[in-house]
Amino acid sequence: MAKLYFVRHGKTEWNLEGRFQGGYGDSALLEEAIEAAKETGKRLSEISFAHVYTSPQKRAKDTAEYIIEESRLNLPLTEVDGLREIGFGDWEGQPFSYAEENHLEAYINLKAHPEKYDPSAFNGETYEELIERSQKAVEKAVSNHPGEDLLFVAHGVTLLTIMHTLIGKETGDIRSKGLLSNTSISILEIDEKAGYSIVSWNDTTHLEVK
């Protein structure tokens, strides 16, 4: 059966500083993240991927390119706008404390109650909007490569949203397993009759010190 592999981008400067880094914010990968992406490439080097899809944001695209380079598989890479991170509007680039001080309820709901999250006060994107665009991106990729393994490199909230939606969870469950680790690997298997099921979730064993 075909499998979908999902990798969160490597750790960035804004990740380290505790800043919002959504669909229109970006910062550079840390040196440790580059090495982690290469280790991820080694881990995935024996998988016969038909294609790699990445968010167009630099942190995700760079991660994908390091993975491909290290895997030595010369895989085709396509940027897909639907794989961008959830848009944080006026929160972009701000420290997490900014949201706590100015939009506490929304900040709590972002992490704990996605079904109640309302970002309209700061021009952000809703989970429902994220679900619509990200699911379209994945469904199109799967339809273009029936029965084949695919790799998606994107972002923490976006990947959580994609995977929870594919396995049939409600919006309120999107954050139930916590956030994905940087350069972690999660895998879903596709069964034509049973749908999607979890093979592994937030796997970081390839990043452990040898």
Side-chain angles (χ1 to χ4, degrees):
M1 287 182 283
K3 294 181 177 66
L4 305 185
Y5 291 70
F6 300 93
V7 173
R8 185 186 175 195
H9 65 77
K11 193 171 186 178
T12 69
E13 293 174 355
W14 283 6
N15 287 151
L16 185 64
E17 295 170 2
R19 296 181 180 276
F20 285 99
Q21 190 172 216
Y24 295 94
D26 225 337
S27 65
L29 293 178
L30 301 173
E31 283 299 319
E32 65 189 69
I34 294 173
E35 292 306 311
K38 291 179 178 179
E39 289 299 321
T40 306
K42 292 177 184 177
R43 171 74 176 274
L44 298 174
S45 62
E46 296 182 4
I47 310 299
S48 299
F49 292 113
H51 209 97
V52 181
Y53 291 91
T54 180
S55 156
Q57 292 177 267
K58 192 174 189 303
R59 60 189 183 275
K61 186 180 177 183
D62 285 353
T63 300
E65 290 175 342
Y66 282 118
I67 290 172
I68 291 172
E69 178 183 352
E70 195 64 32
S71 71
R72 304 179 185 278
L73 295 177
N74 194 30
L75 297 167
L77 176 66
T78 299
E79 297 177 35
V80 181
D81 200 63
L83 297 177
R84 283 182 178 273
E85 180 61 298
I86 189 171
F88 288 124
D90 301 337
W91 288 2
E92 297 278 1
Q94 297 287 350
F96 297 150
S97 59
Y98 173 86
E100 290 182 285
E101 294 167 3
N102 293 279
H103 308 102
L104 180 58
E105 182 178 2
Y107 182 58
I108 292 172
N109 288 338
L110 170 70
K111 299 187 294 180
H113 305 289
E115 77 283 6
K116 299 179 181 178
Y117 177 60
D118 180 4
S120 57
F122 47 91
N123 305 304
E125 182 180 24
T126 66
Y127 276 98
E128 289 74 19
E129 290 169 331
L130 174 59
I131 289 170
E132 182 177 3
R133 66 169 168 84
S134 63
Q135 290 304 296
K136 285 181 179 178
V138 173
E139 288 170 1
K140 182 177 180 180
V142 171
S143 67
N144 286 341
H145 305 279
E148 297 182 290
D149 293 342
L150 300 174
L151 173 61
F152 298 86
V153 182
H155 311 270
V157 179
T158 296
L159 292 179
L160 281 179
T161 300
I162 289 171
M163 292 190 291
H164 276 96
T165 302
L166 288 176
I167 62 176
K169 296 295 185 180
E170 300 294 332
T171 303
D173 296 319
I174 288 172
R175 300 295 288 263
S176 61
K177 290 180 176 289
L179 196 59
L180 298 171
S181 300
N182 293 104
T183 46
S184 62
I185 302 171
S186 298
I187 308 170
L188 298 186
E189 188 172 67
I190 308 173
D191 185 292
E192 292 184 3
K193 295 181 179 180
Y196 292 87
S197 60
I198 299 171
V199 175
S200 68
W201 192 277
N202 198 30
D203 182 4
T204 57
T205 55
H206 56 291
L207 305 177
E208 295 174 0
V209 178
K210 296 180 176 61

